[in-house]
Amino acid sequence: MKKTPLNAIHKEMGARMVDFGGWEMPVQYRGVIDEHLAVRNAAGLFDVSHMGEVEVRGKGALNYIQELTINDASKLVDGQVQYSAMCYPHGGTVDDVTLYRFASDHFLFCVNAANTEKDFAWMQEVLEEGDFGEVHLSNVSDNFAQLALQGPGAQVILSRLTDTELDTIVYYHFREGLVAGVPTLISRTGYTGEAGFELYFPPDAAVGLWKALLEAGAEDGLEPIGLGARDTLRLEMKYALYGHELSPEITPLEAGLGWITALEKPSFVGREALVKMKEQGVPRRLIGFTMTEAGIPRAEYPVFAGDKEVGVVTSGTLSPSLRIGIGLALVDPAHAAVGTPLQIGIRQRRVAAQIVKTPFVKK
Amino acid sequence: MEFPEELKYTEEHEWVLVEDTIVTVGITDFAQDSLGDVVFVELPEVGAEVVAGKSFGVVESVKAVSDIYAPVSGEVVEINEELPETPEVINTSPYEDGWMIKIRIADTSDLDDLMDADAYQAFVEEEA
């Protein structure tokens, strides 16, 4: 299994380690519920060094990225981040990504860990098939470790270790600065719904920065957080997770990502299929539901409306914030309105649920 | 990690307290620690027949669903009614407040397959 530079520290700190897409990662330290609530109420530190990074340089970089991704990258300015995705020609999703613009000829993608090699191969294929001018593509995943510092206390904690004026970095923007003396890309982004930052820096600085942040945040209740709570935090916000809400069989339009799908762009891979899907009517919609009877929904459980099977659960959990079962499901659009009563097939029973407004937790 | 001497254990990490023909069943300290926060429990009804080695219910942590297996065959004569409301006691008190069901054992030879505390502790240490 692959290991991040913090692998030994996680074990020393008592984390339970699991295989996550070929990476040995901490799933929990103190417990998923306690960690989840720590991020909502104080602050949490996540090792996300397994995430992949791909650099795009050259005069043709923007042209290429416009063809490769579904969002409109021409709207980005230097120092800005964009949530986007890559699709196959049939409209299914290769991966969802964040795109960082350093300059008009210099961008960086952050991609899902387990998809890094697949994504990079796909990026090379799209590059070879088009004529974009000068473009240099490199998988620079080994050059970066990454930490996410998330929660209401995140900014005050980070401010103790940097002179960078964090107030002036607005949501989905980034700046390069020193954090505890380490050259760091400081990005005001995250996957929890809380205020916070994602920090990219050289892997050999990971242990020092991890310790410095935990020490700086101890008085504010900062604690290490595993992937278990990362999943429940994102689920409460209805953020998509590749392999659940997105896959080669699920288009961004079905997953509720129409807002990042710039169909008005003249061309991008998957555009024709997505335009056609929109014209003909999106066949499934991603909805959020809460259980109205006792039970915890899980991925793959069937969803019923009346006697009819109308969809499938993509992710589900007990919500640590709400203390009830919550889930996301892809359902027939005829049964996708907020307030619709549903039943979730849990083992041999059908358990009552209801479609609700999302995010589940208001921020 | 605790392994009370008076209990018998299964390879699926259930514990069994034998009192004459009635056995009380729960999951072990090792099992609750591996699961993490227990947030949901599903138990059979009183009067149900359970079969040794077959699932009689489930425990769910935040992350996962796990079956609980009957250590012996027999009739369920009592269930822990409070457990569905307070599943977290499985974490805090796996051997006492976290008990799950009582079974009237059909064939006491089922008990021969269970491990004593020392054997179970060795089994867990090998598995870990």
Side-chain angles (χ1 to χ4, degrees), chain A residues 154-188:
Chain A
Q155 179 159 334
V156 81
I157 293 165
L158 188 58
S159 71
R160 295 186 186 124
L161 297 176
T162 185
D163 292 333
T164 304
E165 288 176 34
L166 300 173
D167 267 334
T168 62
I169 307 176
V170 298
Y171 190 53
Y172 265 74
H173 285 71
F174 70 96
R175 192 146 334 137
E176 292 170 278
L178 293 179
V179 177
V182 176
T184 300
L185 187 162
I186 305 168
S187 172
R188 191 184 283 277

Short mmCIF file of all heavy atoms in Angstrom, two decimals, chain A residues 154-188:
data_model
loop_
_atom_site.label_atom_id
_atom_site.label_comp_id
_atom_site.label_asym_id
_atom_site.label_seq_id
_atom_site.Cartn_x
_atom_site.Cartn_y
_atom_site.Cartn_z
N ALA A 154 -10.27 27.48 12.29
CA ALA A 154 -9.16 27.26 11.36
C ALA A 154 -8.33 28.51 11.11
O ALA A 154 -7.09 28.48 11.16
CB ALA A 154 -9.69 26.70 10.03
N GLN A 155 -9.00 29.62 10.85
CA GLN A 155 -8.24 30.82 10.46
C GLN A 155 -7.38 31.34 11.61
O GLN A 155 -6.22 31.70 11.41
CB GLN A 155 -9.18 31.92 9.96
CG GLN A 155 -8.39 33.16 9.58
CD GLN A 155 -9.13 34.08 8.63
OE1 GLN A 155 -9.99 33.64 7.88
NE2 GLN A 155 -8.79 35.36 8.67
N VAL A 156 -7.93 31.37 12.80
CA VAL A 156 -7.15 31.92 13.92
C VAL A 156 -5.94 31.02 14.21
O VAL A 156 -4.85 31.50 14.53
CB VAL A 156 -8.06 32.16 15.16
CG1 VAL A 156 -8.31 30.90 15.95
CG2 VAL A 156 -7.49 33.24 16.05
N ILE A 157 -6.11 29.72 14.02
CA ILE A 157 -5.00 28.79 14.25
C ILE A 157 -3.92 29.00 13.19
O ILE A 157 -2.73 29.14 13.50
CB ILE A 157 -5.51 27.33 14.23
CG1 ILE A 157 -6.42 27.08 15.43
CG2 ILE A 157 -4.35 26.35 14.20
CD1 ILE A 157 -7.27 25.81 15.33
N LEU A 158 -4.33 29.06 11.93
CA LEU A 158 -3.35 29.21 10.85
C LEU A 158 -2.63 30.56 10.96
O LEU A 158 -1.42 30.66 10.67
CB LEU A 158 -4.05 29.09 9.49
CG LEU A 158 -3.13 29.04 8.27
CD1 LEU A 158 -2.15 27.87 8.36
CD2 LEU A 158 -3.97 28.93 6.99
N SER A 159 -3.35 31.58 11.42
CA SER A 159 -2.75 32.93 11.50
C SER A 159 -1.58 32.96 12.48
O SER A 159 -0.71 33.82 12.37
CB SER A 159 -3.81 33.96 11.90
OG SER A 159 -4.17 33.77 13.26
N ARG A 160 -1.53 32.02 13.42
CA ARG A 160 -0.41 31.98 14.38
C ARG A 160 0.88 31.49 13.72
O ARG A 160 1.95 31.62 14.31
CB ARG A 160 -0.75 31.05 15.55
CG ARG A 160 -1.91 31.57 16.38
CD ARG A 160 -2.14 30.70 17.63
NE ARG A 160 -3.35 31.18 18.29
CZ ARG A 160 -4.41 30.42 18.56
NH1 ARG A 160 -4.40 29.13 18.31
NH2 ARG A 160 -5.47 30.93 19.12
N LEU A 161 0.77 30.89 12.55
CA LEU A 161 1.94 30.29 11.91
C LEU A 161 2.32 30.96 10.60
O LEU A 161 3.23 30.51 9.91
CB LEU A 161 1.69 28.79 11.64
CG LEU A 161 1.48 27.91 12.86
CD1 LEU A 161 1.16 26.48 12.43
CD2 LEU A 161 2.71 27.92 13.77
N THR A 162 1.61 32.03 10.23
CA THR A 162 1.91 32.67 8.94
C THR A 162 1.72 34.17 9.02
O THR A 162 0.89 34.66 9.80
CB THR A 162 1.03 32.08 7.82
OG1 THR A 162 1.44 32.65 6.57
CG2 THR A 162 -0.45 32.36 8.04
N ASP A 163 2.50 34.89 8.17
CA ASP A 163 2.30 36.33 8.04
C ASP A 163 1.33 36.65 6.91
O ASP A 163 0.95 37.81 6.73
CB ASP A 163 3.65 37.03 7.76
CG ASP A 163 4.56 36.94 8.98
OD1 ASP A 163 4.04 36.84 10.11
OD2 ASP A 163 5.80 36.96 8.79
N THR A 164 0.97 35.65 6.14
CA THR A 164 0.03 35.86 5.04
C THR A 164 -1.28 36.39 5.60
O THR A 164 -1.78 35.88 6.61
CB THR A 164 -0.22 34.53 4.29
OG1 THR A 164 1.04 34.02 3.87
CG2 THR A 164 -1.13 34.72 3.10
N GLU A 165 -1.80 37.44 4.94
CA GLU A 165 -3.06 38.02 5.43
C GLU A 165 -4.22 37.15 4.98
O GLU A 165 -4.74 37.30 3.87
CB GLU A 165 -3.20 39.46 4.91
CG GLU A 165 -2.23 40.41 5.60
CD GLU A 165 -2.31 41.81 5.03
OE1 GLU A 165 -3.43 42.22 4.64
OE2 GLU A 165 -1.27 42.47 4.98
N LEU A 166 -4.62 36.26 5.86
CA LEU A 166 -5.62 35.26 5.50
C LEU A 166 -6.97 35.88 5.19
O LEU A 166 -7.73 35.37 4.36
CB LEU A 166 -5.75 34.23 6.64
CG LEU A 166 -4.46 33.47 6.97
CD1 LEU A 166 -4.66 32.61 8.21
CD2 LEU A 166 -4.00 32.61 5.80
N ASP A 167 -7.26 37.01 5.85
CA ASP A 167 -8.53 37.71 5.61
C ASP A 167 -8.71 38.08 4.15
O ASP A 167 -9.84 38.20 3.68
CB ASP A 167 -8.56 39.02 6.43
CG ASP A 167 -9.23 38.80 7.76
OD1 ASP A 167 -10.06 37.87 7.84
OD2 ASP A 167 -8.92 39.56 8.70
N THR A 168 -7.58 38.30 3.46
CA THR A 168 -7.67 38.78 2.09
C THR A 168 -7.75 37.63 1.08
O THR A 168 -7.83 37.86 -0.12
CB THR A 168 -6.46 39.67 1.74
OG1 THR A 168 -5.28 38.87 1.85
CG2 THR A 168 -6.37 40.86 2.70
N ILE A 169 -7.69 36.39 1.57
CA ILE A 169 -7.90 35.24 0.67
C ILE A 169 -9.38 34.88 0.76
O ILE A 169 -9.84 34.38 1.79
CB ILE A 169 -7.05 34.01 1.08
CG1 ILE A 169 -5.57 34.39 1.23
CG2 ILE A 169 -7.23 32.88 0.07
CD1 ILE A 169 -4.69 33.24 1.72
N VAL A 170 -10.13 35.15 -0.30
CA VAL A 170 -11.56 34.86 -0.24
C VAL A 170 -11.81 33.42 -0.68
O VAL A 170 -10.93 32.74 -1.18
CB VAL A 170 -12.40 35.86 -1.07
CG1 VAL A 170 -12.22 37.27 -0.50
CG2 VAL A 170 -12.04 35.82 -2.53
N TYR A 171 -13.04 32.97 -0.46
CA TYR A 171 -13.44 31.58 -0.73
C TYR A 171 -13.08 31.20 -2.17
O TYR A 171 -13.31 31.93 -3.11
CB TYR A 171 -14.95 31.44 -0.50
CG TYR A 171 -15.47 30.02 -0.51
CD1 TYR A 171 -14.91 29.05 0.30
CD2 TYR A 171 -16.54 29.68 -1.33
CE1 TYR A 171 -15.41 27.75 0.30
CE2 TYR A 171 -17.05 28.38 -1.34
CZ TYR A 171 -16.47 27.42 -0.52
OH TYR A 171 -16.96 26.14 -0.54
N TYR A 172 -12.50 30.02 -2.32
CA TYR A 172 -12.05 29.51 -3.62
C TYR A 172 -11.00 30.41 -4.27
O TYR A 172 -10.97 30.60 -5.49
CB TYR A 172 -13.23 29.17 -4.55
CG TYR A 172 -13.56 27.69 -4.45
CD1 TYR A 172 -14.22 27.17 -3.33
CD2 TYR A 172 -13.16 26.79 -5.44
CE1 TYR A 172 -14.47 25.82 -3.20
CE2 TYR A 172 -13.42 25.42 -5.32
CZ TYR A 172 -14.07 24.94 -4.20
OH TYR A 172 -14.30 23.60 -4.07
N HIS A 173 -10.10 30.94 -3.42
CA HIS A 173 -8.89 31.61 -3.89
C HIS A 173 -7.72 31.07 -3.08
O HIS A 173 -7.92 30.44 -2.04
CB HIS A 173 -8.99 33.14 -3.72
CG HIS A 173 -9.89 33.77 -4.75
ND1 HIS A 173 -11.25 33.60 -4.73
CD2 HIS A 173 -9.61 34.55 -5.83
CE1 HIS A 173 -11.79 34.25 -5.75
NE2 HIS A 173 -10.80 34.84 -6.43
N PHE A 174 -6.51 31.33 -3.56
CA PHE A 174 -5.32 30.83 -2.87
C PHE A 174 -4.18 31.83 -2.98
O PHE A 174 -4.21 32.75 -3.78
CB PHE A 174 -4.89 29.48 -3.46
CG PHE A 174 -4.31 29.56 -4.86
CD1 PHE A 174 -2.94 29.62 -5.06
CD2 PHE A 174 -5.14 29.57 -5.97
CE1 PHE A 174 -2.40 29.68 -6.36
CE2 PHE A 174 -4.62 29.63 -7.26
CZ PHE A 174 -3.25 29.69 -7.45
N ARG A 175 -3.21 31.64 -2.12
CA ARG A 175 -2.01 32.46 -2.17
C ARG A 175 -0.83 31.58 -1.75
O ARG A 175 -1.01 30.61 -1.01
CB ARG A 175 -2.13 33.63 -1.20
CG ARG A 175 -1.04 34.65 -1.42
CD ARG A 175 -1.46 36.10 -1.18
NE ARG A 175 -2.87 36.38 -1.37
CZ ARG A 175 -3.57 37.14 -0.54
NH1 ARG A 175 -3.01 37.66 0.55
NH2 ARG A 175 -4.83 37.39 -0.79
N GLU A 176 0.38 31.94 -2.22
CA GLU A 176 1.58 31.24 -1.79
C GLU A 176 2.21 32.04 -0.66
O GLU A 176 2.37 33.26 -0.76
CB GLU A 176 2.53 31.07 -2.97
CG GLU A 176 1.95 30.10 -4.00
CD GLU A 176 2.72 30.06 -5.30
OE1 GLU A 176 2.49 30.93 -6.15
OE2 GLU A 176 3.56 29.15 -5.45
N GLY A 177 2.55 31.33 0.42
CA GLY A 177 3.14 32.01 1.57
C GLY A 177 3.88 31.01 2.43
O GLY A 177 3.94 29.82 2.12
N LEU A 178 4.46 31.51 3.53
CA LEU A 178 5.16 30.62 4.45
C LEU A 178 4.22 30.25 5.59
O LEU A 178 3.57 31.12 6.17
CB LEU A 178 6.40 31.30 5.02
CG LEU A 178 7.54 31.61 4.04
CD1 LEU A 178 8.69 32.30 4.76
CD2 LEU A 178 8.04 30.33 3.36
N VAL A 179 4.16 28.96 5.91
CA VAL A 179 3.43 28.49 7.10
C VAL A 179 4.45 27.74 7.94
O VAL A 179 5.01 26.74 7.48
CB VAL A 179 2.24 27.59 6.72
CG1 VAL A 179 1.55 27.07 7.99
CG2 VAL A 179 1.24 28.33 5.84
N ALA A 180 4.70 28.22 9.14
CA ALA A 180 5.75 27.65 10.01
C ALA A 180 7.06 27.53 9.23
O ALA A 180 7.79 26.55 9.36
CB ALA A 180 5.30 26.29 10.56
N GLY A 181 7.32 28.52 8.38
CA GLY A 181 8.57 28.55 7.62
C GLY A 181 8.58 27.70 6.37
O GLY A 181 9.57 27.67 5.64
N VAL A 182 7.47 27.00 6.10
CA VAL A 182 7.41 26.10 4.94
C VAL A 182 6.69 26.81 3.79
O VAL A 182 5.57 27.31 3.97
CB VAL A 182 6.64 24.82 5.31
CG1 VAL A 182 6.48 23.91 4.09
CG2 VAL A 182 7.31 24.09 6.46
N PRO A 183 7.31 26.85 2.60
CA PRO A 183 6.59 27.43 1.45
C PRO A 183 5.35 26.62 1.13
O PRO A 183 5.43 25.43 0.86
CB PRO A 183 7.60 27.35 0.30
CG PRO A 183 8.79 26.63 0.81
CD PRO A 183 8.62 26.31 2.25
N THR A 184 4.21 27.29 1.19
CA THR A 184 2.92 26.59 1.15
C THR A 184 1.95 27.30 0.22
O THR A 184 1.90 28.53 0.19
CB THR A 184 2.31 26.56 2.58
OG1 THR A 184 3.22 25.88 3.45
CG2 THR A 184 0.96 25.87 2.61
N LEU A 185 1.18 26.52 -0.51
CA LEU A 185 0.04 27.06 -1.24
C LEU A 185 -1.14 27.02 -0.27
O LEU A 185 -1.55 25.95 0.18
CB LEU A 185 -0.23 26.21 -2.48
CG LEU A 185 -1.27 26.67 -3.49
CD1 LEU A 185 -1.06 25.93 -4.81
CD2 LEU A 185 -2.68 26.39 -3.00
N ILE A 186 -1.63 28.21 0.08
CA ILE A 186 -2.72 28.32 1.07
C ILE A 186 -4.01 28.57 0.30
O ILE A 186 -4.17 29.61 -0.32
CB ILE A 186 -2.45 29.50 2.04
CG1 ILE A 186 -1.08 29.34 2.70
CG2 ILE A 186 -3.57 29.60 3.07
CD1 ILE A 186 -0.62 30.60 3.45
N SER A 187 -4.92 27.61 0.35
CA SER A 187 -6.14 27.67 -0.46
C SER A 187 -7.35 27.69 0.46
O SER A 187 -7.48 26.84 1.34
CB SER A 187 -6.18 26.42 -1.35
OG SER A 187 -7.41 26.32 -2.02
N ARG A 188 -8.23 28.68 0.25
CA ARG A 188 -9.43 28.72 1.09
C ARG A 188 -10.50 27.85 0.44
O ARG A 188 -11.40 28.33 -0.26
CB ARG A 188 -9.93 30.15 1.30
CG ARG A 188 -11.01 30.22 2.39
CD ARG A 188 -11.60 31.61 2.55
NE ARG A 188 -10.75 32.55 3.28
CZ ARG A 188 -10.67 32.65 4.60
NH1 ARG A 188 -11.35 31.82 5.37
NH2 ARG A 188 -9.89 33.55 5.15
#
